[in-house]
Amino acid sequence: MLELSDAQIGGWVGSFVLPLFRIAALLMTMPIIGTQLVPTRVRLYLALAISVVLVPTLPPMPQVDAINLGNVLLIGEQILIGALLGFVLQLFFHAFVVAGQIISMQMGLGFASMVDPTNGVSVPVLGQFYLMLVTLLFLAMNGHLVVFEILAESFVTLPVGGGLLTNHHWEVAGKLGWVMGAGLLLSLPAITALLVVNLAFGVMTRAAPQLNIFSIGFPLTLALGLVIVWIGMADVLSQYQVLASDALQLMRELARAR
């Protein structure tokens, strides 16, 4: 009969289960994989597969007691670290969604909304377009591989059982409010061009008061807004590279212990 000691069980728990919680928390909260499009069971299987591949390359894990309630603190710490890393990526993706929403409201396309299948909420069509665009760019440039690399490095720079998150991590987390500024910067060229269009309509109304600007201005603003968005697509790649590098650098700073 196979007999397992408490030390053996504790070693297995420390070497496999604790890293699994950090990996699973990241996969449950990050974009693309952590959305409703991917079933929870698939995400769990993927977390198990990554853990099996990653655990043999990790530093030695702490020896824990398998039935000690104090391990709940270690598990909560791993979940918090993984969730913070995934939350940074969520903010990066939603910066483009915010930009699409701002442009939609400015050009009169805010009424055209659809259900976002990834989050289950109603968003403007233009915001959903930007979300799909940044998703394709992220996958095409192997951003998901960089995320997994940062996750593997976090077990070295922020080891399991190395202590709770320090003030450094909360200072880095305080920088996560850049999403609104990033969304505004992404939409600023289109907002400026649409402002010029609206000023032109105002001059037309002043010059010809009998002109029904409401029946003419709305379709023209909508059409010109689509043209402006199409022209602005030429600069999306450079904007994406800057924001992606900032988001990934922020993830590295969160995974760094000081």
Side-chain angles (χ1 to χ4, degrees), residues 86-187:
F87 185 64
V88 173
L89 280 180
Q90 287 283 2
L91 289 180
F92 163 62
F93 274 66
H94 280 79
F96 289 85
V97 177
V98 170
Q101 291 176 342
I102 294 174
I103 297 174
S104 296
M105 297 301 295
Q106 187 71 19
M107 63 187 290
L109 199 61
F111 66 91
S113 60
M114 62 176 293
V115 176
D116 183 5
T118 60
N119 300 312
V121 297
S122 180
V123 296
V125 175
L126 194 56
Q128 185 66 17
F129 170 75
Y130 275 108
L131 179 60
M132 292 188 293
L133 179 63
V134 71
T135 300
L136 293 176
L137 288 175
F138 188 77
L139 294 176
M141 296 186 177
N142 294 326
H144 56 293
L145 300 181
V146 179
V147 172
F148 293 146
E149 179 185 357
I150 295 174
L151 176 64
E153 292 176 357
S154 69
F155 288 100
V156 179
T157 58
L158 199 62
V160 177
L164 293 175
L165 298 178
T166 61
N167 293 331
H168 160 71
H169 300 99
W170 297 116
E171 291 175 0
V172 175
K175 302 177 182 178
L176 299 181
W178 58 270
V179 59
M180 291 301 298
L184 183 60
L185 288 176
L186 287 170
S187 60

Side-chain angles (χ1 to χ4, degrees), residues 29-243:
T29 55
M30 69 177 292
I32 306 173
I33 299 177
T35 61
Q36 296 182 1
L37 297 177
V38 181
T40 305
R41 185 175 298 179
V42 174
R43 282 178 270 174
L44 181 58
Y45 289 157
L46 184 59
L48 288 172
I50 295 176
S51 299
V52 170
V53 175
L54 192 60
V55 164
T57 64
L58 298 180
M61 295 293 163
Q63 187 74 20
V64 297
D65 188 357
I67 58 175
N68 188 0
L69 293 179
N71 295 328
V72 176
L73 184 61
L74 282 177
I75 293 174
E77 181 185 356
Q78 305 314 307
I79 294 175
L80 181 60
I81 294 172
L84 279 176
L85 295 178
F87 185 64
V88 173
L89 280 180
Q90 287 283 2
L91 289 180
F92 163 62
F93 274 66
H94 280 79
F96 289 85
V97 177
V98 170
Q101 291 176 342
I102 294 174
I103 297 174
S104 296
M105 297 301 295
Q106 187 71 19
M107 63 187 290
L109 199 61
F111 66 91
S113 60
M114 62 176 293
V115 176
D116 183 5
T118 60
N119 300 312
V121 297
S122 180
V123 296
V125 175
L126 194 56
Q128 185 66 17
F129 170 75
Y130 275 108
L131 179 60
M132 292 188 293
L133 179 63
V134 71
T135 300
L136 293 176
L137 288 175
F138 188 77
L139 294 176
M141 296 186 177
N142 294 326
H144 56 293
L145 300 181
V146 179
V147 172
F148 293 146
E149 179 185 357
I150 295 174
L151 176 64
E153 292 176 357
S154 69
F155 288 100
V156 179
T157 58
L158 199 62
V160 177
L164 293 175
L165 298 178
T166 61
N167 293 331
H168 160 71
H169 300 99
W170 297 116
E171 291 175 0
V172 175
K175 302 177 182 178
L176 299 181
W178 58 270
V179 59
M180 291 301 298
L184 183 60
L185 288 176
L186 287 170
S187 60
L188 192 59
I191 292 176
T192 304
L194 290 171
L195 179 61
V196 173
V197 172
N198 290 327
L199 289 176
F201 286 143
V203 174
M204 291 171 56
T205 306
R206 187 67 175 178
Q210 68 276 11
L211 183 65
N212 190 355
I213 197 63
F214 293 102
S215 61
I216 299 176
F218 179 75
L220 281 179
T221 304
L222 188 58
L224 291 175
L226 293 175
V227 173
I228 292 168
V229 170
W230 174 61
I231 296 175
M233 287 294 103
D235 195 43
V236 168
L237 182 58
S238 60
Q239 295 173 338
Y240 165 82
Q241 290 175 339
V242 173
L243 291 178

